[in-house]
Amino acid sequence: MRWQTLLKNSITTPAALGSRFGFDSGPLRAVAERYPMRINPYYLNLIREKGDPFWLQAVPDEQELHDMVCMPDPLGEEHLSPVPNLIHKYPDRALFLVHSQCAMYCRFCTRKRKVGTGDMVITRETIDAGLDYLRKTPEVRDVLVSGGDPLLLSDERLESILKSLRRIPSIEIIRIGTRAPCTLPMRVTTRLATMLKRYHPLYINTHFNHPDEITPEAALACSRLANAGIPLGCQTVLLRGVNDDPRIIKRLMHGLLRIRVKPYYIFQGDMTEGTDHFRTPINKGLAIMKSLIGHTSGMAVPKFAVDAPGGGGKIPLQPDYVHHLGANLVFSNFRGDICSYQDAGARGQVTGDRG
Ligand code: SF4
């Protein structure tokens, strides 16, 4: 089935879900009125039972209306936008939002305040204003095209944006952030991949959260992109009840490498209003990182980071292996063995210390 047809056949109301899975969907109506719902037939077919990892990511939950300790715009994006839908937070790169919709509305989305709603207004005019800003801001050498999901644009519309970006001499790197290879892999047609390869150096960061999302369809989508010479990375979010388990994360990291996607980041959940029930303690993330580092290939170990509230940017978080930092570094390795390392140029000092 064509991806456009799949999208059109999405479930967008709790009532439709209730009749399929046989539950009282009434309490979810208010949730879907506040935060939009879309589950396309491909992702719907991944759901095996109520409460499984696919269900939790896709199906509205009453807790979204009650856990209000967080913020609608946790990363302060609206204050970092010189023009609507362009966020210029870091010195040499910018985030350019070119589409307001997604193939599925993830319940944990950082931009759930606006993605898929009438509050996210993206028009030709806003895209032109973004391009104009990038033309006048030559310090930006790397643009992340995102949304919503840019792959929900037609090939032609996406190509016209990429072409305009490529005409800006200061832009060296174009990245696309998309969850389509995971949530609607049929979107990645050979036609799309052939178009994208005209705009190198082009990178794609996709987003898988659970190893069972790596289906044959997702693998085919990623192989089409990789065969077009596009380096693929994955950004995963730690989600309570979905993937906050070292065995699940290790399976995910290995599965990603098998489909030629390099694990790039694991993110601590943002403090997004309506998503508090997904957040996990930072110590859990550190323990997961400790279960990866040294226990599997470095290729399978992404960076763990928290995106600082208010627009502070990504802060890397690392398990602590160091016991003493001086001329003689004392640390433990992944097995917990104590090791030491004598710093360069510290020989005399260390000898002196020993008397
Ligand atoms: S695909 Fe990304 S932008 Fe869209 S709802 Fe999911 S997390 Fe948000």
Side-chain angles (χ1 to χ4, degrees), residues 102 104-106 108-111 115 147-149 179 207:
C102 299
M104 174 179 100
Y105 294 126
C106 312
F108 53 83
C109 179
T110 297
R111 290 188 198 112
V115 163
D149 199 319
R179 216 184 165 200
H207 178 169

PDB file of all heavy atoms in Angstrom, residues 102 104-106 108-111 115 147-149 179 207, ligand 1:
ATOM      1  N   CYS A 102       3.319  14.334  11.644  1.00  0.00           N
ATOM      2  CA  CYS A 102       4.159  13.135  11.734  1.00  0.00           C
ATOM      3  C   CYS A 102       3.331  11.922  11.353  1.00  0.00           C
ATOM      4  O   CYS A 102       2.099  11.946  11.397  1.00  0.00           O
ATOM      5  CB  CYS A 102       4.666  12.950  13.154  1.00  0.00           C
ATOM      6  SG  CYS A 102       5.665  14.334  13.707  1.00  0.00           S
ATOM      7  N   MET A 104       3.117   9.342  13.058  1.00  0.00           N
ATOM      8  CA  MET A 104       2.465   8.922  14.299  1.00  0.00           C
ATOM      9  C   MET A 104       2.753  10.029  15.312  1.00  0.00           C
ATOM     10  O   MET A 104       3.822  10.614  15.265  1.00  0.00           O
ATOM     11  CB  MET A 104       3.079   7.615  14.780  1.00  0.00           C
ATOM     12  CG  MET A 104       2.557   7.176  16.130  1.00  0.00           C
ATOM     13  SD  MET A 104       3.303   5.630  16.609  1.00  0.00           S
ATOM     14  CE  MET A 104       4.576   6.176  17.723  1.00  0.00           C
ATOM     15  N   TYR A 105       1.801  10.300  16.171  1.00  0.00           N
ATOM     16  CA  TYR A 105       2.090  11.288  17.214  1.00  0.00           C
ATOM     17  C   TYR A 105       2.523  10.566  18.468  1.00  0.00           C
ATOM     18  O   TYR A 105       1.717   9.931  19.157  1.00  0.00           O
ATOM     19  CB  TYR A 105       0.882  12.200  17.445  1.00  0.00           C
ATOM     20  CG  TYR A 105       0.621  13.049  16.222  1.00  0.00           C
ATOM     21  CD1 TYR A 105      -0.610  13.087  15.601  1.00  0.00           C
ATOM     22  CD2 TYR A 105       1.665  13.788  15.658  1.00  0.00           C
ATOM     23  CE1 TYR A 105      -0.814  13.834  14.449  1.00  0.00           C
ATOM     24  CE2 TYR A 105       1.479  14.526  14.511  1.00  0.00           C
ATOM     25  CZ  TYR A 105       0.237  14.547  13.910  1.00  0.00           C
ATOM     26  OH  TYR A 105       0.057  15.274  12.758  1.00  0.00           O
ATOM     27  N   CYS A 106       3.830  10.653  18.730  1.00  0.00           N
ATOM     28  CA  CYS A 106       4.420   9.959  19.878  1.00  0.00           C
ATOM     29  C   CYS A 106       3.947  10.668  21.145  1.00  0.00           C
ATOM     30  O   CYS A 106       4.018  11.898  21.236  1.00  0.00           O
ATOM     31  CB  CYS A 106       5.931  10.009  19.793  1.00  0.00           C
ATOM     32  SG  CYS A 106       6.564   9.545  18.169  1.00  0.00           S
ATOM     33  N   PHE A 108       5.251  10.944  23.915  1.00  0.00           N
ATOM     34  CA  PHE A 108       6.325  11.549  24.716  1.00  0.00           C
ATOM     35  C   PHE A 108       6.979  12.736  24.007  1.00  0.00           C
ATOM     36  O   PHE A 108       7.984  13.273  24.473  1.00  0.00           O
ATOM     37  CB  PHE A 108       7.421  10.486  24.992  1.00  0.00           C
ATOM     38  CG  PHE A 108       7.908   9.834  23.722  1.00  0.00           C
ATOM     39  CD1 PHE A 108       8.877  10.428  22.948  1.00  0.00           C
ATOM     40  CD2 PHE A 108       7.337   8.660  23.270  1.00  0.00           C
ATOM     41  CE1 PHE A 108       9.292   9.862  21.756  1.00  0.00           C
ATOM     42  CE2 PHE A 108       7.740   8.077  22.076  1.00  0.00           C
ATOM     43  CZ  PHE A 108       8.724   8.679  21.328  1.00  0.00           C
ATOM     44  N   CYS A 109       6.398  13.179  22.898  1.00  0.00           N
ATOM     45  CA  CYS A 109       7.071  14.164  22.035  1.00  0.00           C
ATOM     46  C   CYS A 109       7.402  15.474  22.772  1.00  0.00           C
ATOM     47  O   CYS A 109       6.554  16.052  23.449  1.00  0.00           O
ATOM     48  CB  CYS A 109       6.172  14.479  20.847  1.00  0.00           C
ATOM     49  SG  CYS A 109       6.878  15.683  19.730  1.00  0.00           S
ATOM     50  N   THR A 110       8.614  15.941  22.578  1.00  0.00           N
ATOM     51  CA  THR A 110       9.057  17.204  23.176  1.00  0.00           C
ATOM     52  C   THR A 110       8.256  18.392  22.646  1.00  0.00           C
ATOM     53  O   THR A 110       8.064  19.381  23.339  1.00  0.00           O
ATOM     54  CB  THR A 110      10.559  17.411  22.869  1.00  0.00           C
ATOM     55  OG1 THR A 110      11.264  16.356  23.500  1.00  0.00           O
ATOM     56  CG2 THR A 110      11.081  18.740  23.365  1.00  0.00           C
ATOM     57  N   ARG A 111       7.812  18.279  21.393  1.00  0.00           N
ATOM     58  CA  ARG A 111       7.054  19.395  20.794  1.00  0.00           C
ATOM     59  C   ARG A 111       5.565  19.096  20.779  1.00  0.00           C
ATOM     60  O   ARG A 111       4.845  19.547  19.887  1.00  0.00           O
ATOM     61  CB  ARG A 111       7.548  19.669  19.372  1.00  0.00           C
ATOM     62  CG  ARG A 111       8.915  20.254  19.355  1.00  0.00           C
ATOM     63  CD  ARG A 111       9.414  20.743  18.015  1.00  0.00           C
ATOM     64  NE  ARG A 111      10.850  20.853  18.164  1.00  0.00           N
ATOM     65  CZ  ARG A 111      11.733  20.075  17.548  1.00  0.00           C
ATOM     66  NH1 ARG A 111      11.334  19.200  16.661  1.00  0.00           N
ATOM     67  NH2 ARG A 111      13.020  20.207  17.808  1.00  0.00           N
ATOM     68  N   VAL A 115       3.138  20.075  17.682  1.00  0.00           N
ATOM     69  CA  VAL A 115       3.185  19.159  16.533  1.00  0.00           C
ATOM     70  C   VAL A 115       1.799  18.553  16.285  1.00  0.00           C
ATOM     71  O   VAL A 115       1.141  18.089  17.207  1.00  0.00           O
ATOM     72  CB  VAL A 115       4.244  18.055  16.771  1.00  0.00           C
ATOM     73  CG1 VAL A 115       4.028  16.875  15.832  1.00  0.00           C
ATOM     74  CG2 VAL A 115       5.642  18.610  16.576  1.00  0.00           C
ATOM     75  N   GLY A 147      10.838  18.761  12.178  1.00  0.00           N
ATOM     76  CA  GLY A 147       9.425  19.149  12.198  1.00  0.00           C
ATOM     77  C   GLY A 147       8.820  18.911  13.577  1.00  0.00           C
ATOM     78  O   GLY A 147       9.451  19.187  14.580  1.00  0.00           O
ATOM     79  N   GLY A 148       7.673  18.225  13.616  1.00  0.00           N
ATOM     80  CA  GLY A 148       7.071  17.309  12.698  1.00  0.00           C
ATOM     81  C   GLY A 148       8.098  16.437  11.973  1.00  0.00           C
ATOM     82  O   GLY A 148       9.227  16.315  12.404  1.00  0.00           O
ATOM     83  N   ASP A 149       7.642  15.865  10.900  1.00  0.00           N
ATOM     84  CA  ASP A 149       8.534  14.979  10.153  1.00  0.00           C
ATOM     85  C   ASP A 149       8.670  15.460   8.718  1.00  0.00           C
ATOM     86  O   ASP A 149       7.688  15.454   7.954  1.00  0.00           O
ATOM     87  CB  ASP A 149       7.977  13.542  10.185  1.00  0.00           C
ATOM     88  CG  ASP A 149       9.048  12.536   9.840  1.00  0.00           C
ATOM     89  OD1 ASP A 149       9.832  12.815   8.908  1.00  0.00           O
ATOM     90  OD2 ASP A 149       9.117  11.484  10.491  1.00  0.00           O
ATOM     91  N   ARG A 179      11.361  10.289  11.962  1.00  0.00           N
ATOM     92  CA  ARG A 179      11.028   8.999  12.583  1.00  0.00           C
ATOM     93  C   ARG A 179      10.358   8.064  11.584  1.00  0.00           C
ATOM     94  O   ARG A 179       9.972   6.950  11.915  1.00  0.00           O
ATOM     95  CB  ARG A 179      10.113   9.239  13.803  1.00  0.00           C
ATOM     96  CG  ARG A 179      10.434   8.264  14.895  1.00  0.00           C
ATOM     97  CD  ARG A 179       9.623   8.244  16.131  1.00  0.00           C
ATOM     98  NE  ARG A 179       9.973   6.964  16.763  1.00  0.00           N
ATOM     99  CZ  ARG A 179       9.280   6.319  17.662  1.00  0.00           C
ATOM    100  NH1 ARG A 179       8.175   6.833  18.123  1.00  0.00           N
ATOM    101  NH2 ARG A 179       9.675   5.160  18.127  1.00  0.00           N
ATOM    102  N   HIS A 207      14.919   7.602  14.638  1.00  0.00           N
ATOM    103  CA  HIS A 207      14.513   7.520  16.040  1.00  0.00           C
ATOM    104  C   HIS A 207      13.780   6.203  16.275  1.00  0.00           C
ATOM    105  O   HIS A 207      12.617   6.075  15.901  1.00  0.00           O
ATOM    106  CB  HIS A 207      13.615   8.752  16.305  1.00  0.00           C
ATOM    107  CG  HIS A 207      13.050   8.852  17.674  1.00  0.00           C
ATOM    108  ND1 HIS A 207      12.430   9.976  18.149  1.00  0.00           N
ATOM    109  CD2 HIS A 207      12.973   7.961  18.687  1.00  0.00           C
ATOM    110  CE1 HIS A 207      12.018   9.774  19.390  1.00  0.00           C
ATOM    111  NE2 HIS A 207      12.329   8.555  19.734  1.00  0.00           N
TER     112      HIS A 207
HETATM  113  S1  SF4 B   1       7.969  11.673  15.224  1.00  0.00           S
HETATM  114 FE1  SF4 B   1       9.237  13.081  16.451  1.00  0.00          FE
HETATM  115  S2  SF4 B   1       8.287  15.102  16.172  1.00  0.00           S
HETATM  116 FE2  SF4 B   1       6.791  13.565  15.534  1.00  0.00          FE
HETATM  117  S3  SF4 B   1       5.528  13.164  17.326  1.00  0.00           S
HETATM  118 FE3  SF4 B   1       7.169  11.628  17.295  1.00  0.00          FE
HETATM  119  S4  SF4 B   1       8.807  12.520  18.571  1.00  0.00           S
HETATM  120 FE4  SF4 B   1       7.389  14.215  18.011  1.00  0.00          FE
END
